[in-house]
Amino acid sequence: MMMNQMNQAQLLHWIDMVSLAVVDIVLYLDTHPEDEEALKYFDQYSEMRRTAMQAYADKYGPLTIGTARPSNYWNWSAVPLPWERGNC
């Protein structure tokens, strides 16, 4: 399923999954910084996470300040939090 076809709960679940993969590979890279395959994996999943976070922000509002638009940096928290919408 493409990200633009996911509902809010599905997109949040996808973000959780790719975020876990990124955290996990970062821990591995702490002890294996020269592993080229791991670096490629990190790049791939980091990009997947960034894309998913931006897709979520575009559709439902930013989860982090990093995906807030410059014009709404200081009111990004005015959007209902994911659990306040009843979709999680």
Side-chain angles (χ1 to χ4, degrees):
M1 181 181 297
M2 302 295 291
M3 271 187 279
N4 61 355
Q5 297 172 341
M6 293 181 184
N7 66 32
Q8 184 181 12
Q10 291 168 326
L11 190 50
L12 278 171
H13 182 69
W14 177 249
I15 290 168
D16 286 345
M17 289 191 316
V18 294
S19 294
L20 177 61
V22 170
V23 169
D24 195 40
I25 197 63
V26 164
L27 293 173
Y28 175 81
L29 285 168
D30 282 346
T31 58
H32 301 81
E34 304 299 321
D35 186 332
E36 290 296 322
E37 244 351 90
L39 290 167
K40 289 177 189 174
Y41 183 92
F42 171 78
D43 289 342
Q44 177 186 358
Y45 277 80
S46 292
E47 179 60 21
M48 290 167 66
R49 182 180 185 278
R50 187 198 64 71
T51 301
M53 292 287 285
Q54 191 60 56
Y56 187 95
D58 292 345
K59 197 167 185 181
Y60 303 108
L63 289 171
T64 64
I65 195 67
T67 55
R69 291 191 177 110
S71 62
N72 68 3
Y73 277 155
W74 304 117
N75 66 358
W76 70 279
S77 63
V79 178
L81 297 171
W83 55 88
E84 294 175 332
R85 293 187 180 120
N87 294 325
C88 298

